Amino acid sequence: MSDSLTRRQFIASAGCAGCALAWSGAMALPGYAAATEERLPLTKELSTQEALHYEKIEDLKVVCKLCPKECQVADAERGYCGVRENQKGTYRTLVYGRPCTLHIDPIEKKPLFHYRPGTAAFSIATAGCNMECSFCQNWDISQFRPEQIQMFDLPPARTAQLAADTKSPTIAYTYSEPVIFYEYMLDTAQAARKLGVGSVMISNGYIQEKPLRQLLKHLTGVKIDFKAFTETFYKDSCKGELQPVLRALEVIREENVWLEIVVLIIPTLNDSDPENQAMAKWIREHLGPDVPVHLTRFSPNYKLKNIPATPVKTLERLTKIMRGEGLHYVYIGNVPGHPAENTLCHHCGELVIRRLGFRSTLEGLENGCCAKCKTPIPGVWEDPLKA
Ligand code: SF4
């Protein structure tokens, strides 16, 4: 097996938004092609880039101010996420320019339904996470340290250029938890913007307000995994906290960056009617009725293999409850072909976007409005960097 993938090979295989194109440490990588081609090398070297958002305290210790965990880290130790290390009193990110996974996905897979439907998202991730969800779908990268999996050497400018060369209008920071590769995401988003490429963060929203506001200036969209509406669930199932996520959601709204929410509905853990009704009420009151909410189907995974898949009836019942609370766009996810994948105009009920899995057809959308009643449909329908 080769230790690199040629840039030409990647670009050549990245023809369409729906392509299941992927590189990751878990996959066999194609061999070298022509010796003159630029290569995307694997590396075993961790980054030494200094981290942002930390404070130095006594005895060469530091306090990380990136996420609400506020890890206090002694010299030669790492924070909880495993990708930030104190090296003699200087805090460093070990994954700057070190993605472990590169894919080109349909933007619908994130899922983002009101953000440039039918386009490609150049998707990247590094190792690490600041939570540990017992149902994680990407535990094989999120729960590992960078040196335990393969890494590419791909600095921000090259990452952005690769997205542009593959004609991806958007980079998605996704799969694991982009908050923990914050500096890489921030610099890549800025480099991408100069090339006319947008940036969306697919995140758990577990981040402090100051770094979040700094980052949002460079993002064109955000999707937050809203795990549940109880502190108990966040503590027991995710090793996180609810309150900071609620604040992050408000901040994203305040900064006027396009936002969608996903709730993975897990039988017996977060599928009660009162909890989801309360969540919908909070969303409407704090974020407004137009934020799309995706209720997605759980399937047994990672440490939650003993719980069965979510019955579709549960998703349908909760969708009805959330719509009844006044949310305009509530979708059912991970149930391909379900009618609740489609977008209907919230004013007249006409079909606006038809979906099947990750494919979208704009049947009734004209200039961002319902073709029938002309009501504006909230979303990012045109290139946000040209607006
Ligand atoms: S980003 Fe990592 S090191 Fe920093 S506080 Fe969060 S878990 Fe700790």
Side-chain angles (χ1 to χ4, degrees), residues 131-139 225-228 233-234 236-238 264-266 269-270 298-305 307:
M131 288 189 186
E132 190 199 341
C133 299
S134 53
F135 46 87
C136 183
Q137 294 169 351
N138 292 306
W139 60 270
D225 284 309
F226 199 165
K227 311 278 182 185
F233 184 98
Y234 268 89
D236 295 347
S237 298
C238 303
L264 181 72
I265 300 294
I266 306 174
L269 295 185
N270 66 354
F298 163 85
S299 49
N301 202 3
Y302 191 36
K303 295 181 177 174
L304 271 195
K305 293 213 175 80
I307 294 184

Side-chain angles (χ1 to χ4, degrees), residues 289-333:
D290 287 337
V291 175
V293 176
H294 305 253
L295 302 181
T296 60
R297 188 182 200 199
F298 163 85
S299 49
N301 202 3
Y302 191 36
K303 295 181 177 174
L304 271 195
K305 293 213 175 80
N306 57 331
I307 294 184
T310 318
V312 174
K313 280 196 181 331
T314 302
L315 298 167
E316 290 171 340
R317 191 185 74 240
L318 297 179
T319 299
K320 197 170 166 197
I321 287 172
M322 286 201 161
R323 286 177 180 162
E325 267 303 319
L327 299 186
H328 289 158
Y329 297 96
V330 184
Y331 297 101
I332 288 180

Side-chain angles (χ1 to χ4, degrees), residues 4 8 12-13 32 45 53 56 68 86 93 124 131 135 184 188 205 215 248 259 272 291 304 309 340:
S4 76
R8 183 180 299 173
S13 55
Y32 286 107
E45 275 184 37
H53 302 288
K56 300 186 181 205
N86 181 347
T93 161
I124 62 173
M131 288 189 186
F135 46 87
Y184 180 36
T188 302
L215 175 68
L259 170 66
S272 84
V291 175
L304 271 195

